[in-house]
């Protein structure tokens, strides 16, 4: 369908939902992220390019209709400001993180994002990334536990603090 630029009809069911939705998509590309496959394509219902997890597609059918890829669609640009596979219309922001010095080797050899800028200080490592903050970013930050501090922006710092407080309540 991607090669032939043929529209697909999907029955899609999100996790934690009993509702199935019917969608017509123009499949642009397949992408793997964290051992899961996704199709990125134009959704006729939403009139924009979105991401669909293959494991949430309940049924898929070819249609007889063809499509043309939007001329302005560029996969590299589409994911440039995303953190992970999810792309939203939220604002891009600069996020400043302070890491423990003990993570220096890991952070140098496994950047957390393509926009990463790193500066090493006596007591910490500062990483600045420019991304759209979302679930996958918070998941990544939380994975570093006590080895990271969100310095700015304040809304990202507060969201991480809220998630940490919620997690801590599970242990009281």
């Amino acid at each position: 369908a991607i090669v032939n630029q043929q529209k697909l009809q999907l029955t899609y069911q999100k996790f934690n939902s009993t509702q199935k939705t019917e969608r017509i998509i123009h499949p642009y590309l397949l992408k793997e992220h964290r051992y899961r496959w996704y199709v990125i394509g134009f959704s006729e219902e939403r009139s924009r390019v979105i991401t669909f997890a293959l494991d949430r597609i309940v049924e898929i059918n070819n249609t007889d209709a063809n499509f043309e890829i939007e001329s302005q669609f560029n996969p590299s640009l589409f994911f440039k400001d995303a953190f992970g596979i999810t792309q939203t219309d939220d604002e891009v922001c600069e996020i400043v993180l302070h890491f423990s010095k003990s993570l220096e080797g890991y952070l140098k050899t496994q950047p957390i994002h393509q926009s990463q800028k790193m500066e090493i200080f006596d007591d910490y490592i500062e990483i600045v990334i420019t991304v759209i903050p979302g679930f996958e970013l918070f998941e990544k930050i939380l994975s570093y536990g006590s080895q990271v501090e969100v310095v700015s922006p304040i809304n990202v710092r507060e969201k991480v603090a809220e998630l940490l407080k919620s997690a801590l309540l599970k242990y009281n």
Side-chain angles (χ1 to χ4, degrees):
I2 291 170
V3 171
N4 296 328
Q5 294 184 334
Q6 187 176 25
K7 294 180 184 182
L8 294 173
Q9 180 179 6
L10 305 180
T11 303
Y12 196 76
Q13 185 173 5
K14 294 180 179 181
F15 285 147
N16 302 320
S17 175
T18 57
Q19 183 179 355
K20 297 175 185 174
T21 58
E22 299 293 323
R23 312 198 182 194
I24 301 291
I25 69 161
H26 308 180
Y28 289 178
L29 63 104
L30 288 172
K31 184 172 177 69
E32 184 270 337
H33 178 69
R34 294 179 65 191
Y35 310 109
R36 182 171 277 149
W37 283 92
Y38 299 85
V39 60
I40 290 77
F42 181 82
S43 166
E44 290 189 356
E45 291 76 14
R46 294 197 183 164
S47 297
R48 66 184 184 99
V49 177
I50 58 176
T51 303
F52 297 94
L54 294 188
D55 61 353
R56 291 174 228 156
I57 297 174
V58 178
E59 187 176 342
I60 187 167
N61 294 296
N62 290 328
T63 69
D64 293 330
N66 289 77
F67 67 90
E68 288 187 32
I69 294 176
E70 291 182 8
S71 60
Q72 71 269 20
F73 180 75
N74 178 319
S76 297
L77 293 177
F78 183 74
F79 287 106
K80 179 178 152 282
D81 298 320
F83 194 92
I85 195 72
T86 306
Q87 176 57 282
T88 67
D89 293 329
D90 294 338
E91 292 292 316
V92 174
C93 66
E94 186 176 88
I95 299 173
V96 180
L97 305 165
H98 285 180
F99 288 89
S100 299
K101 289 277 288 188
S102 62
L103 296 178
E104 182 178 342
Y106 296 103
L107 297 169
K108 280 182 177 177
T109 60
Q110 287 188 318
I112 61 174
H113 190 260
Q114 64 188 11
S115 66
Q116 175 172 314
K117 294 181 182 102
M118 184 164 81
E119 192 170 347
I120 301 168
F121 295 94
D122 290 338
D123 298 336
Y124 62 91
I125 298 165
E126 181 174 273
I127 289 187
V128 178
I129 57 175
T130 305
V131 298
I132 299 169
F135 171 78
E136 292 162 306
L137 172 68
F138 296 117
E139 184 180 61
K140 183 66 172 178
I141 291 170
L142 292 173
S143 76
Y144 288 102
S146 63
Q147 301 287 314
V148 65
E149 176 189 4
V150 177
V151 178
S152 66
I154 192 68
N155 64 318
V156 173
R157 181 179 172 91
E158 288 172 347
K159 177 66 176 178
V160 171
E162 174 188 315
L163 292 167
L164 288 168
K165 287 175 189 172
S166 176
L168 189 57
L169 286 174
K170 294 182 184 330
Y171 293 89
N172 287 338

